[in-house]
Amino acid sequence: STQSTWVVMEGFLDIHLPQWQRNLLTRSIAIIPSLLIALLTGTEGSNFLIFLTQVLLSFQLPFALIPLLKFTASSRVVGLHANSRRTHVAAWMATILVISANLFLIFSSLLNAPWFAIVLALLASVVYAASIVYLIRRPVHSSNMFGLQSFGSDHPTFVAQTEGTELEVASQ
């Protein structure tokens, strides 16, 4: 999560910090809320926090997997390194299994819930499913955010830029 926070800060929010400040900020964002809950609520609060984070991560997983699957299957984006048909099908099957398990867990946990919780869960499931369908149907757009300079060529080039230096690596 620290790496993804760094990408969001630099790539999307255009916030450039020295590495030590970026590390301090991103690690503080991750650690301070957990530490406060552990200190204020003890073991029960910590256990609930662990449970809650696992639930949230399981629901966020398709939003990371689907774009990843689409990018890695696109020869326009990754060139010769695109997933094989077999790998692509296996990865989609695993993703469908994860999404199905998430939906099953929602509905099985609501068996004895009050009616308003069931209605809210149904509405949330519709939004969740619509968001996933949107991701699946959305076309792949290549971006130069990470320094990719040639898409789909026989020898894609990756240019890494750090602290004013530039390193070019061409695939063989």
Side-chain angles (χ1 to χ4, degrees):
S1 73
T2 302
Q3 182 71 24
S4 63
T5 304
W6 170 72
V7 168
V8 168
M9 286 174 60
E10 287 223 349
F12 296 118
L13 301 178
D14 199 28
I15 298 174
H16 302 282
L17 296 172
Q19 185 173 1
W20 73 269
Q21 288 177 348
R22 184 176 56 234
N23 289 344
L24 180 64
L25 177 66
T26 57
R27 283 169 178 79
S28 297
I29 290 170
I31 292 172
I32 290 174
S34 301
L35 182 63
L36 287 175
I37 288 176
L39 292 174
L40 295 174
T41 62
T43 305
E44 292 97 29
S46 297
N47 288 339
F48 178 74
L49 184 63
I50 291 170
F51 170 76
L52 184 61
T53 59
Q54 295 308 308
V55 169
L56 292 174
L57 287 172
S58 72
F59 285 103
Q60 291 174 353
L61 191 57
F63 297 100
L65 285 177
I66 292 171
L68 180 65
L69 290 176
K70 291 181 78 170
F71 281 123
T72 58
S74 173
S75 59
R76 189 183 63 184
V77 174
V78 293
L80 297 173
H81 305 290
N83 285 342
S84 69
R85 181 67 133 169
R86 184 181 303 179
T87 301
H88 189 66
V89 168
W92 271 106
M93 288 173 48
T95 300
I96 290 169
L97 181 68
V98 167
I99 293 168
S100 300
N102 285 341
L103 292 175
F104 173 77
L105 287 173
I106 287 175
F107 292 115
S108 65
S109 66
L110 293 174
L111 291 177
N112 296 321
W115 68 269
F116 63 88
I118 295 172
V119 170
L120 286 174
L122 286 173
L123 291 173
S125 296
V126 168
V127 172
Y128 183 70
S131 301
I132 290 171
V133 168
Y134 169 76
L135 280 177
I136 292 170
R137 295 184 51 94
R138 187 175 192 274
V140 175
H141 296 288
S142 56
S143 168
N144 200 17
M145 183 174 141
F146 297 108
L148 291 171
Q149 290 191 338
S150 61
F151 299 105
S153 70
D154 290 342
H155 301 286
T157 302
F158 179 77
V159 177
Q161 297 177 337
T162 56
E163 307 290 330
T165 63
E166 188 172 287
L167 170 68
E168 184 172 308
V169 180
S171 66
Q172 309 266 1

